[in-house]
Amino acid sequence: MALLDEILEYNEEFVKEKRYEEFMTTKFPDKKVVILTCMDTRLFEMLPKAMNFKNGDIKIVKSAGAVINHPFGGIMRSLLVAVYELNADEIYIIGHHDCGMASINPEKMLEKMKHRGVDEKTIDMMEYSGVDLKGWLRGFDDVTESVAHSVNMVRNHPLLDTTVPVHGLVIDPTTGKLDVVVNGNKNR
Ligand SMILES: [Zn+2]
C-alpha cells in the first residue's frame, strides 16, 4: 500500500476515535516561546521533551540546519508573525551537532539534480543570469558559528521589537544536552 493511503486510513481511525482530544490547545503558545530549529528526524519529539515543552507550549519553525537564508524570507517572516500575532515573547534558535547541513556539498547536490533529470542548461542559465545557486545551497562549517550568525541576524532585524530576547543554543541529537551559544537576556 502506498504510504499516503496508509496515512489516510490511519487518519480516519484517529479522528473517529477522537484521539485528537489529548492534543487540544490553542494557537497561542502557553510558554510564549518561538523556536527555530532543524528538520532533523532525531529532534522531532526529543527537542521539545529535552526542554520540557508539550503540545500547546511553543511555536516551532523548522528549516534545514536552522538556517535563515534571507532576512526577508519565509523563516524570518514566521518568527515575526510568532512575536507580533501569536504572543511569543522569546526567540530560541537551536542548531544541533552532526547536522546534515554541515556536510552539504552544493556541487554534488547540483550533480544529483542533473542525474534526476534537471536540465544542465537550466542550471547553467540560472547561474549565468546571476543566481548564486551554490551559495544558496551551501550549509555551514561550524554549527556554533552558524547559530551565532542567525541570532545576530534576528537580533538586528529592523522589524523586531528590541525587547524580545533572542537566544542561540546547540543541542546534542543523541543525549538532548543543550549548550548556550548566546544568552539573549544579555544581548538585548
Ligand atoms: Zn540538522
Side-chain angles (χ1 to χ4, degrees), residues 38-40 64-65 96 99-101:
C38 182
M39 62 187 187
D40 193 285
H96 68 98
C99 183
M101 277 306 276

PDB file of all heavy atoms in Angstrom, residues 38-40 64-65 96 99-101, ligand 1:
ATOM      1  N   CYS A  38      16.244  22.745  13.417  1.00  0.00           N
ATOM      2  CA  CYS A  38      16.480  21.988  12.191  1.00  0.00           C
ATOM      3  C   CYS A  38      15.378  20.945  11.992  1.00  0.00           C
ATOM      4  O   CYS A  38      14.731  20.512  12.940  1.00  0.00           O
ATOM      5  CB  CYS A  38      17.841  21.301  12.276  1.00  0.00           C
ATOM      6  SG  CYS A  38      18.268  20.366  10.788  1.00  0.00           S
ATOM      7  N   MET A  39      15.220  20.509  10.746  1.00  0.00           N
ATOM      8  CA  MET A  39      14.210  19.494  10.430  1.00  0.00           C
ATOM      9  C   MET A  39      14.689  18.081  10.738  1.00  0.00           C
ATOM     10  O   MET A  39      13.989  17.110  10.437  1.00  0.00           O
ATOM     11  CB  MET A  39      13.833  19.606   8.959  1.00  0.00           C
ATOM     12  CG  MET A  39      14.982  19.352   8.003  1.00  0.00           C
ATOM     13  SD  MET A  39      14.426  19.711   6.317  1.00  0.00           S
ATOM     14  CE  MET A  39      15.839  19.143   5.386  1.00  0.00           C
ATOM     15  N   ASP A  40      15.855  17.939  11.361  1.00  0.00           N
ATOM     16  CA  ASP A  40      16.434  16.617  11.655  1.00  0.00           C
ATOM     17  C   ASP A  40      15.422  15.691  12.350  1.00  0.00           C
ATOM     18  O   ASP A  40      14.722  16.100  13.281  1.00  0.00           O
ATOM     19  CB  ASP A  40      17.657  16.806  12.561  1.00  0.00           C
ATOM     20  CG  ASP A  40      18.495  15.542  12.643  1.00  0.00           C
ATOM     21  OD1 ASP A  40      18.069  14.594  13.333  1.00  0.00           O
ATOM     22  OD2 ASP A  40      19.555  15.503  12.011  1.00  0.00           O
ATOM     23  N   ALA A  64      16.190  23.502   7.185  1.00  0.00           N
ATOM     24  CA  ALA A  64      17.391  22.665   7.145  1.00  0.00           C
ATOM     25  C   ALA A  64      18.527  23.415   7.828  1.00  0.00           C
ATOM     26  O   ALA A  64      18.878  24.527   7.426  1.00  0.00           O
ATOM     27  CB  ALA A  64      17.759  22.329   5.702  1.00  0.00           C
ATOM     28  N   GLY A  65      19.073  22.852   8.903  1.00  0.00           N
ATOM     29  CA  GLY A  65      20.181  23.466   9.613  1.00  0.00           C
ATOM     30  C   GLY A  65      19.790  24.609  10.537  1.00  0.00           C
ATOM     31  O   GLY A  65      20.654  25.269  11.095  1.00  0.00           O
ATOM     32  N   HIS A  96      22.107  21.948  15.881  1.00  0.00           N
ATOM     33  CA  HIS A  96      22.472  20.692  16.546  1.00  0.00           C
ATOM     34  C   HIS A  96      23.767  20.127  15.972  1.00  0.00           C
ATOM     35  O   HIS A  96      24.124  20.407  14.821  1.00  0.00           O
ATOM     36  CB  HIS A  96      21.331  19.668  16.445  1.00  0.00           C
ATOM     37  CG  HIS A  96      21.091  19.165  15.058  1.00  0.00           C
ATOM     38  ND1 HIS A  96      21.588  17.973  14.586  1.00  0.00           N
ATOM     39  CD2 HIS A  96      20.414  19.710  14.019  1.00  0.00           C
ATOM     40  CE1 HIS A  96      21.216  17.804  13.331  1.00  0.00           C
ATOM     41  NE2 HIS A  96      20.508  18.841  12.953  1.00  0.00           N
ATOM     42  N   CYS A  99      24.818  17.828  12.113  1.00  0.00           N
ATOM     43  CA  CYS A  99      23.730  18.305  11.247  1.00  0.00           C
ATOM     44  C   CYS A  99      24.042  18.008   9.784  1.00  0.00           C
ATOM     45  O   CYS A  99      25.167  18.216   9.326  1.00  0.00           O
ATOM     46  CB  CYS A  99      23.535  19.808  11.428  1.00  0.00           C
ATOM     47  SG  CYS A  99      22.145  20.466  10.471  1.00  0.00           S
ATOM     48  N   GLY A 100      23.042  17.530   9.060  1.00  0.00           N
ATOM     49  CA  GLY A 100      23.209  17.227   7.644  1.00  0.00           C
ATOM     50  C   GLY A 100      23.639  18.448   6.837  1.00  0.00           C
ATOM     51  O   GLY A 100      24.337  18.331   5.834  1.00  0.00           O
ATOM     52  N   MET A 101      23.246  19.642   7.284  1.00  0.00           N
ATOM     53  CA  MET A 101      23.582  20.857   6.543  1.00  0.00           C
ATOM     54  C   MET A 101      25.059  21.205   6.654  1.00  0.00           C
ATOM     55  O   MET A 101      25.567  22.014   5.883  1.00  0.00           O
ATOM     56  CB  MET A 101      22.741  22.041   7.038  1.00  0.00           C
ATOM     57  CG  MET A 101      21.362  22.109   6.428  1.00  0.00           C
ATOM     58  SD  MET A 101      21.348  22.088   4.622  1.00  0.00           S
ATOM     59  CE  MET A 101      21.621  23.833   4.264  1.00  0.00           C
TER      60      MET A 101
HETATM   61 ZN    ZN B   1      20.222  19.416  11.081  1.00  0.00          ZN
END
